[in-house]
Amino acid sequence: MTTPANRARLILSLRSAGITNVSVLSAIERVPRELFVPETFRDQAYEDTALPIGYGQTLSQPYIVAFMVAALELNKNLKVLELGTGSGYHCSVLSHLCRRVYTVERHRALLANAEQRFSELQLNNVTTRAGDGMKGWAEQAPFDRISVSAASKEIPQSLLDQLAIGGIMILPVGGADRSQVLTKISRTDSGFETQALIEVRFVPLLHGLARDKSA
Ligand code: SAH
C-alpha cells in the first residue's frame, strides 16, 4: 500500500541504516517510488529492496540510491550527468538536489516511460537522451557530478574526460560475475583521486543502443 506512513517508514529505515543527510532523505521522501515500478510490485515500493523494471534491468534498493546521492555532495548549482536512467527513480531524486540532470539510457522503451514520469511529476530540470552512456554526453560536458547506475570493469575514459575539475563521479566498478565496488572519483587540478566505498551489485554497463523487443 502507498501511504505516507509507508514512506515515513522507509525514511526511518534509511536513517537507521546510516543515511543521515537531511536533504537526501527529504528528496527521497518527495519521490513517489510506486510510480517507477511495475504494478505487480507496487506493494513493495517502499520496502528497502531492489525491484525489476523490465528488459532484465532493476531499480536499486533505496539505501543504495540514497548512499550514492549522498556521496555526490550535491547542491543547487551543480550540473549532473546520470548514466542508466532505467525507471527514472534515481534521476528524480537527483533532480531535487541539483540544478540540472542530463540522463542517458540505452533502452528507448525504458527511457520513454521515464520521460512520462518526469513530465507527470513536473521535473523540469531533467534532460534525457537515448544512447550509449559509456560515451558520456560530450556536447554538455563538463559535468560537476557524474552518477553511473550500471557496472563496468574499467572506468570509461570519456567519463573521466567529461568530469569538471573539482567534480565527483560515483560508479560501480567490477564485472557481472564477481563483486563490484562502488567507487568515488574526485577530479583535482592535478589528476584523479579514487576511493573505494562499499560493495554493490549492479547490472552491467553495456555498449551501444539496445534493440528493444519486449520487456
Ligand atoms: N537508475 C535506474 C536503475 C538503472 S538499472 C533507476 O533508478 O531505475 C541500469 C540501467 O543502465 C538500465 O536501465 C540499463 O539499460 C542502463 N544501461 C546499461 N548500459 C548503459 C549504457 N551504456 N548507456 C546507457 N544506459 C545503460
Side-chain angles (χ1 to χ4, degrees):
M1 277 284 290
T2 306
T3 62
N6 284 342
R7 284 203 210 184
R9 196 153 40 82
L10 173 62
I11 300 303
L12 282 178
S13 85
L14 293 177
R15 215 193 275 261
S16 57
I19 307 293
T20 52
N21 185 316
V22 177
S23 28
V24 171
L25 290 172
S26 78
I28 290 203
E29 200 166 13
R30 287 173 72 182
V31 180
R33 195 166 181 259
E34 76 275 9
L35 293 189
F36 295 83
V37 299
E39 230 168 291
T40 37
F41 294 102
R42 288 212 171 137
D43 57 340
Q44 294 173 56
Y46 293 97
E47 304 294 320
D48 190 14
T49 177
L51 292 171
I53 55 171
Y55 299 93
Q57 306 304 319
T58 40
L59 167 51
S60 310
Q61 72 177 105
Y63 172 76
I64 295 296
V65 174
F67 186 93
M68 288 177 74
V69 173
L72 278 180
E73 301 170 23
L74 293 168
N75 69 55
K76 282 288 187 185
N77 298 319
L78 302 178
K79 177 174 161 185
V80 178
L81 174 66
E82 186 206 30
L83 303 179
T85 319
S87 69
Y89 175 78
H90 195 146
C91 181
S92 301
V93 176
L94 290 170
S95 79
H96 289 303
L97 296 164
C98 67
R99 178 161 56 83
R100 179 157 289 276
V101 191
Y102 294 86
T103 186
V104 183
E105 169 58 52
R106 65 187 291 278
H107 278 284
R108 288 186 193 279
L110 285 176
L111 190 65
N113 288 337
E115 283 168 341
Q116 210 173 333
R117 293 170 183 133
F118 299 146
S119 81
E120 216 171 294
L121 296 170
Q122 299 182 316
L123 302 177
N124 302 320
N125 63 342
V126 175
T127 308
T128 61
R129 174 191 244 187
D132 181 357
M134 279 202 199
K135 299 181 183 142
W137 193 327
E139 300 84 342
Q140 296 295 343
F143 296 96
D144 303 305
R145 301 290 185 263
I146 300 179
S147 178
V148 186
S149 292
S152 59
K153 285 188 186 153
E154 273 142 41
I155 301 163
Q157 183 61 43
S158 43
L159 301 186
L160 293 171
D161 293 343
Q162 291 176 29
L163 187 63
I165 291 171
I168 298 173
M169 169 156 62
I170 303 288
L171 80 169
V173 179
D177 47 342
R178 57 198 165 90
S179 68
Q180 304 159 359
V181 177
L182 193 66
T183 305
K184 175 177 180 175
I185 296 175
S186 309
R187 185 167 195 174
T188 64
D189 286 334
S190 52
F192 296 91
E193 284 168 10
T194 302
Q195 192 187 341
L197 300 175
I198 51 171
E199 279 203 13
V200 286
R201 190 138 191 91
F202 277 81
V203 295
L205 194 63
L206 300 172
H207 283 285
L209 258 177
R211 290 162 189 256
D212 289 340
K213 288 209 177 88
S214 63

